[in-house]
Each structure stands twice: as structure tokens, then as C-alpha cells.
Amino acid sequence: MLWSFIAVVFSGWLFVDATYRGPVWQRWLFKPVTLLLLLALAAQTPVLTPAGYLIILGLVATMVGDALLLLRDERIIYVIGAYFLSYLLYTIGFASQMTFSVFWPLPILLLIIGAALIAVLWQHLAELRWPVCTYIGMTLLMVWIAGEHYFARSSDHSLSLLAGTGFLLISTVLWLVSRFRYPFNAARAIIAASYFAGHFLIVRSLYF
């Protein structure tokens, strides 16, 4: 099992490094390879619960979105749809494991983040306004459910979920901002690192 974790981390590092300074083929190769290794790691879970199956399906949806990103820009709405589905599957998996309670500072903070992000992007989204807003809402809901899971249980499992969704939120915010409003040179590497760390920590939660 240790070697599986090492393989995932090494492949993920090659993917992140490629987004910053490597050739395009290296980025295109190691992104799907890293996700396939994450799928294999999730499938090796000693006891695969329904939540585990939903996480696996979420990874598959993410891979579909990544593949669509390689196509022309008019496919972006399908990319957003695939990522939305991935986060929806993750959220259902998280919710199936928890007793619901509300830690109010968390949803308030997430609403502020969502409102600020939409305000920054709104004038630049054109016909993608509502798909992007829906995607942002799904991302925030995923983080909220993971956060409530953590505040209710405070376990290693729930901490890994919260950290993973937090990284995916960072990745989503930076991807949308850099794509639609403020492109910047370091965006690719930061997005790649957050993206990989988020999915890795969510899969890692299956081992607690």
C-alpha cells in the first residue's frame, strides 16, 4: 500500500512540475496517469463503502472533464458539467456518512467567498454565467458538507475530507479567475498542485 501512495505522489509531482516548466506532452500524460493511480488506490481500500464507490465515480467524472479540456473552448460548458458532477458525487458520498449539524461560521464564510468570486467574474462570463454560478455553488456545498462532517466528528477521516475539499475550492477559484478574468503565470502550477492535493486527500480519507 505504501508503494501505491508513493506512485501517486511521484506521478502527481511530475504533473505539477510539467504545468510549470515541463513540455505539454508531459502535462497531458501525467494528469490522467495520476488520476488513474488515484482510482487504483481508491479501489484497493480494504472495505469499499457506498461513499467509496461515489468517490471513485467522482474521479471518473473528473477525468472526463480533463479530457474535454483538451478540446476546443466551446466545450467548456461540458467541462464545467463534468466537474459539477464530480463534486456532486463527492458531496453525496460525504453526506451519507454524517449526522447533520450546522457550524454557522462555515456556511457564512463560504457564502462570502462565493459572492466575491461571482462579483469578480460576472461581467466576463457572458452565456456561461449560470453554469459557472451553479458550479461555484456545488463546490461551496461540497466544502460545507465536508466541514460539517469534520466539526461533528473531528476524526482523521473527516479532516482529510475537509482539507481535500479546501484544496479543490482553491483550485476551482484560481482556475475560474485565471480563465475568465486575471490570467497570471503561476496559475497553472498552483491550480495543478491544489487540484492534485484535493483529490489525493479525498481518496486518502478512505483509509481511515
Side-chain angles (χ1 to χ4, degrees):
M1 193 61 59
L2 176 62
W3 287 108
S4 297
F5 276 103
I6 292 174
V8 169
V9 172
F10 181 66
S11 179
W13 177 79
L14 289 174
F15 159 54
V16 173
D17 182 67
T19 61
Y20 181 66
R21 58 183 179 180
V24 173
W25 68 263
Q26 185 178 335
R27 183 168 69 250
W28 286 8
L29 173 63
F30 283 103
K31 191 171 190 179
V33 166
T34 301
L35 288 174
L36 286 171
L37 288 171
L38 282 173
L39 278 171
L41 189 62
Q44 293 176 36
T45 306
V47 180
L48 199 57
T49 63
Y53 284 109
L54 287 167
I55 287 174
I56 288 174
L57 291 174
L59 284 171
V60 172
T62 293
M63 292 182 69
V64 171
D66 290 342
L68 291 171
L69 267 180
L70 301 179
L71 303 178
R72 294 177 298 173
D73 283 350
E74 55 261 38
R75 305 287 182 176
I76 188 64
I77 191 168
Y78 301 112
V79 174
I80 292 171
Y83 289 159
F84 174 92
L85 177 60
S86 173
Y87 292 177
L88 174 62
L89 291 166
Y90 281 172
T91 302
I92 294 172
F94 303 161
S96 68
Q97 306 174 68
M98 63 178 289
T99 301
F100 194 78
S101 61
V102 179
F103 177 70
W104 287 108
L106 179 59
I108 292 171
L109 174 61
L110 291 173
L111 284 173
I112 293 171
I113 293 172
L117 179 59
I118 291 171
V120 168
L121 299 175
W122 186 258
Q123 297 298 326
H124 300 265
L125 296 176
E127 71 277 3
L128 291 174
R129 283 175 178 172
W130 294 114
V132 169
C133 288
T134 304
Y135 173 47
I136 292 171
M138 186 69 254
T139 306
L140 296 175
L141 178 62
M142 175 183 67
V143 179
W144 178 39
I145 295 298
E148 297 297 349
H149 196 296
Y150 172 73
F151 291 116
R153 297 190 178 184
S154 298
S155 63
D156 290 337
H157 168 79
S158 58
L159 177 60
S160 191
L161 289 180
L162 178 58
T165 56
F167 276 116
L168 290 181
L169 175 59
I170 293 170
S171 175
T172 297
V173 170
L174 292 178
W175 179 61
L176 292 174
V177 169
S178 65
R179 187 177 186 90
F180 294 107
R181 188 65 190 268
Y182 300 117
F184 57 100
N185 292 333
R188 282 184 179 178
I190 299 172
I191 292 167
S194 302
Y195 172 91
F196 164 69
H199 289 294
F200 174 76
L201 287 169
I202 288 172
V203 171
R204 180 176 174 269
S205 72
L206 297 174
Y207 285 83
F208 291 114

